[in-house]
Amino acid sequence: MSRARQPPLVTGISPKEGAAWTKVTIRGENLGTGPADLIGLSICGHNCLLTAEWMSASKIVCRVGPAKDDKGEIIVTTKSGGLGTSTVSFKLIRPERIGILDQSAVWVDELTFRTDRNKGISPLSLRPSNPLGIDIDKGKISPKDLELTFPGMSADFTSENFSATWYLIENHAGSSFDQLKIAASNLKKQATKKNEGSLAYVKGGLSTFFEAQDALSAIHQKLESDGTEKVEGSMTQRLENILNRASNTADTLFQEVLGRKDKADSTRNALNVLQRFKFLFNLPLNIERNIQKGDYDVVINDYEKAKSLFGNTEVPVFKKVYAEVETRIGALRSLLLEKLLQTPSTLHDQKRYIRYLSDLHAPGDPAWQCIDAQHKWILQLMQNCRDEFISGQRVGAGALDPEGDTRPSALGRLSHTASLKRGGSLRTPRSSNWHFETPQQVQFVEKLSDVVIGQLPNFWKLWISYVNGSLFSETGEKSGQVEKSKKNARQRQNDFKKMIEELTSRLVKLIRGALLPATLPQGELTLYGGWESKTDLAGSWHTQIIHTVRGCHEALSAMEIPNDLLQVIQDLLLDLRVHCLMVTLVHTTEDVNRLAEKEDWLVDNEGITSLPSRFEQCMVQMLQSLKEPLETKPGETNVRSYPANISATEVFVNSLEQLSTKTDGDINTSHNCQYLERHTFLNLAHHFEKHGFTGTEKITRVSVDAVRGLDRKLFEAYIERRADPIAGSLEPGIYAGYFDWRDCQTPTGVRNYLKEALVNIIAVHAEVFTVSKDLVPRVLSRIVESVADEMCRLMQCVSSFSKNGALQARLELCALRDAIATYLNADSNASFKLALESLPQLHSGADKKLLEELLNKFKSSMQLQLTCFQASSVQPIKR
């Protein structure tokens, strides 16, 4: 806003005195920025604006009007500076107070002093302007004070109420006593000359008196003789006829000249009137031209000037022209009101039109009419936005913006600013075909938010300007209109509150209809719903919608709209956040199920399958997508306390259980369970705590228990699937070829069935080691235990042994025991001990030597295979 200008200051006027209609030049400072800025000019209390001609900021030319005051200040008023002041004054001279011998600074019409041209002026009537004959020394006492001091008296020495004291105080207040003596002497001389002048006048005209006497006598004689001679009528009658003929002849001679003179006088008078009041006569045309050019300020200034000068005129021609001016102003009011109610329009244009209508004294309340029109227009924009998306017109960027405008939306700029403050943004970079990839509901919410953020701030500012009166004046002027505006605003405060409530309610209902139709009454689904055919949204799209609605709420809160009017948006945000949380968890559960069913269980170089890492990535993505709905802004409700916090880990464990029934126990699945317990769950607990979740210990404990149970189930199934075939192959191998313990040959070595069993155990070792070497001790200990128990049972079931049979049995038991000794537990060792004790003892040294040789031979031939059963750095896992 520009700096306020200083008020006008008049420092000089030329001439400083004069009669009415004297042309004067006014000089000073800050006398206006142009003709339109000059709105007032008075001299001696008389309005001289009509004859004013603005020359520059320091010069104005005008004519002095017939003011009531004889002396007064020159006051200039401008729109930019207001009411001015003056350091000089102007003295208005009355023509009747100027004598024919008085000096004057301006021309005085002589007609004033020649009221009767046929009468001569007697020397006695001539009065000197200075009867005392000394220098006039005006005093500083004002005429008004003298009038109060000498009521009913006058300083005019020709007046009947002449007061000598007043005259001396007014004209010789500073004269000395010697000068007054001289004045008294001058008065005596003038009195003597007055008496002598009268006698001299008679003496000088004595001959004239005699001639007049002779003429009167001759006329008397002629009249007497005329009464006796009546031949041609009386002389008086003849004289009258002669005079009439002379008059007719004179009229005939001068009729044309006098007619042209009268016509010229009439034309001159008309031109003078037109020239003097040309402002009024040209005003209708000027109004029309300025309206076409859009110079409404000029029109309003001219109208105010004309109204102040001719609003109450009784002159018919002026009334007729002023009526036409009022007609043009009425048309201008209608035009401005039409422009004011047009949509869309900027806040600046709305304020400008409201001020114009206020200055033109438009009927009604244009400001409130504009507010009401804007309210209806915003509602219609919001509804049109929904209808276009429902009808399928909003497809692609071309439909979103017919003019191809690629500028970021108001909400996009707000989101970008907010993301910079947070250090990031939830919105991912959008490709060129973003509009074709984004669901319709998401595009609709963003477009609807742009409409609200783009229009509601100006709507709110318009109301604030209406409340504080700045619509009509920003500088404190027009206090009457400002107070009227404030009064109207107080009366309509509840109406405007209902407007804001309707706008926010419409916004919320439209978004609910698109995303949460179940929360709307059945009767409103037709107006706000209709999205049933659209695809369901993923949790990430709900997150983006929450971000958009929050940005809209923050923008409206920044305008200082009361919180109670925005509560419906807070309620919508709460429902959206809970809905987003539920949808995200449900979708994550489905993703985990698909992951558990379709994962190929491949093992990487570090012995880690991709399933746990995929599961961890899935859970981390879920937590990141829930960051926006779980974040609690000021004034929002914390949704962490809602029963929607379902553990997706438990869902994953259930999926693994279902998978275990399909795979009949897989070592990969068991390994994944261990990896989940040792690594994944710890990492997820860290991520949960990082994102502000509480009670992660309980979630981790429940998940670990569930995984351990699954692991035990899978492990037992795997052991059963691998150990039973090996243990089951022992008995057929022992009695292959109709082998009989009571009738057998001398042992030559360990038979093949036992070697095959060891090779099968080695195959399990290789399979487990490929997945994870940490699982080898745990698996092999159970496999070995199962094989050892079966072997011992079979040996204990033999009723009798021959010598060679006992030696063969002892050889095979000792070979198996020594081979798998690393993985035998106490129970298995006890079983081997019982089995060996049940066999016949070896008493001869040859048998013992043969047993030892055959055992060494077995170990030597199976050295490479038996290395798998040697003790490793990995200790058995205690569970």
Side-chain angles (χ1 to χ4, degrees), residues 198-217:
S198 300
L199 182 60
Y201 176 75
V202 175
K203 290 181 179 179
L206 188 59
S207 59
T208 304
F209 294 150
F210 291 156
E211 292 175 359
Q213 177 66 28
D214 293 342
L216 290 174
S217 299

Side-chain angles (χ1 to χ4, degrees), residues 687-758:
H687 286 297
F688 273 99
E689 292 177 355
K690 180 180 178 180
H691 286 82
F693 281 90
T694 58
T696 56
E697 297 82 1
K698 180 180 179 180
I699 296 177
T700 304
R701 183 175 65 255
V702 172
S703 301
V704 168
D705 292 341
V707 169
R708 284 181 177 178
L710 175 62
D711 178 55
R712 286 191 296 270
K713 180 179 178 181
L714 293 174
F715 182 76
E716 295 297 334
Y718 180 77
I719 294 299
E720 182 180 357
R721 184 164 60 90
R722 293 301 186 189
D724 287 354
I726 298 174
S729 66
L730 292 178
E731 185 173 4
I734 290 176
Y735 296 103
Y738 301 101
F739 179 81
D740 188 0
W741 294 106
R742 294 172 295 184
D743 183 16
C744 60
Q745 298 178 359
T746 303
T748 58
V750 178
R751 289 183 292 174
N752 290 334
Y753 81 91
L754 188 59
K755 295 179 180 180
E756 290 177 359
L758 291 175

Side-chain angles (χ1 to χ4, degrees), residues 572-619:
L572 171 64
L573 276 172
L574 177 60
D575 293 344
L576 287 176
R577 291 164 63 200
V578 174
H579 182 69
C580 176
L581 185 62
M582 296 297 298
V583 169
T584 302
L585 291 175
V586 171
H587 289 179
T588 303
T589 302
E590 296 174 354
D591 294 340
V592 169
N593 287 333
R594 288 192 295 268
L595 180 65
E597 293 175 358
K598 298 181 179 180
E599 184 61 48
D600 53 7
W601 307 95
L602 296 178
V603 182
D604 59 16
N605 295 332
E606 297 180 357
I608 302 173
T609 60
S610 59
L611 180 61
S613 60
R614 297 275 183 87
F615 169 69
E616 183 177 348
Q617 292 176 1
C618 184
M619 294 297 294

Side-chain angles (χ1 to χ4, degrees), residues 18-260:
W21 308 115
T22 300
K23 187 174 183 179
V24 296
T25 300
I26 302 171
R27 297 187 181 275
E29 301 174 358
N30 303 317
L31 301 184
T33 59
D37 193 36
L38 182 64
I39 60 174
L41 174 60
S42 64
I43 301 177
C44 297
H46 185 268
N47 189 356
C48 302
L49 184 60
L50 183 62
T51 61
E53 182 178 2
W54 185 89
M55 307 301 291
S56 66
S58 60
K59 180 179 178 181
I60 297 176
V61 177
C62 70
R63 291 187 178 274
V64 181
K68 297 181 179 180
D69 299 332
D70 293 343
K71 190 173 184 180
E73 295 181 338
I74 302 93
I75 304 300
V76 177
T77 306
T78 62
K79 294 176 63 178
S80 59
L83 186 65
T85 57
S86 174
T87 59
V88 296
S89 60
F90 182 83
K91 183 177 181 181
L92 184 65
I93 300 176
R94 307 291 181 179
E96 61 272 12
R97 296 186 181 180
I98 302 177
I100 59 176
L101 299 181
D102 290 341
Q103 295 181 353
S104 176
V106 297
W107 174 260
V108 180
D109 195 352
E110 294 181 356
L111 294 176
T112 306
F113 309 103
R114 300 178 62 186
T115 56
D116 188 359
R117 299 191 178 191
N118 296 325
K119 292 183 179 181
I121 300 176
S122 172
L124 297 176
S125 64
L126 297 179
R127 301 301 185 202
S129 59
N130 186 8
L132 298 183
I134 60 177
D135 294 335
I136 296 177
D137 187 2
K138 295 286 186 179
K140 297 182 180 180
I141 302 176
S142 63
K144 293 183 179 180
D145 294 338
L146 292 174
E147 290 179 0
L148 294 175
T149 306
F150 303 97
M153 307 302 289
S154 174
D156 185 4
F157 57 87
T158 62
S159 174
E160 295 180 357
N161 300 325
F162 171 70
S163 173
T165 306
W166 186 349
Y167 179 82
L168 290 176
I169 293 174
E170 181 179 8
N171 298 286
H172 300 283
S175 300
S176 63
F177 183 74
D178 294 335
Q179 290 178 329
L180 293 177
K181 285 183 177 182
I182 297 173
S185 176
N186 292 335
L187 282 176
K188 293 179 179 179
K189 293 180 179 178
Q190 289 180 14
T192 304
K193 289 182 179 179
K194 178 179 179 182
N195 297 328
E196 294 178 353
S198 300
L199 182 60
Y201 176 75
V202 175
K203 290 181 179 179
L206 188 59
S207 59
T208 304
F209 294 150
F210 291 156
E211 292 175 359
Q213 177 66 28
D214 293 342
L216 290 174
S217 299
I219 292 173
H220 181 70
Q221 294 176 2
K222 199 70 173 176
L223 288 174
E224 288 181 350
S225 62
D226 182 60
T228 59
E229 299 175 4
K230 298 184 179 179
V231 180
E232 297 181 359
S234 65
M235 184 180 66
T236 304
Q237 185 65 37
R238 285 183 290 154
L239 181 59
E240 181 180 0
N241 294 335
I242 293 172
L243 292 175
N244 289 334
R245 288 196 300 269
S247 176
N248 293 334
T249 302
D251 290 341
T252 303
L253 292 175
F254 294 100
Q255 185 175 7
E256 183 178 358
V257 177
L258 294 176
R260 288 200 302 268

Side-chain angles (χ1 to χ4, degrees), residues 14 21 25 46 215 220 253 292 314 322 343 524 528 537 543 612 616 623 665 677 728 750 756 812 822:
S14 178
W21 308 115
T25 300
H46 185 268
H220 181 70
L253 292 175
Q292 294 177 358
E314 297 297 333
Y322 184 75
T343 53
E524 295 181 351
Y528 304 112
L537 299 180
T543 298
E616 183 177 348
L623 291 175
E677 178 184 350
V750 178
E756 290 177 359
E812 292 177 352
T822 305

Side-chain angles (χ1 to χ4, degrees), residues 492-508:
R492 290 175 170 143
Q493 191 168 4
N494 291 333
D495 295 337
F496 182 78
K497 184 177 180 180
K498 292 180 181 178
M499 289 182 178
I500 295 295
E501 290 177 348
E502 186 176 3
L503 289 173
T504 53
S505 177
R506 180 69 59 88
L507 171 66
V508 169

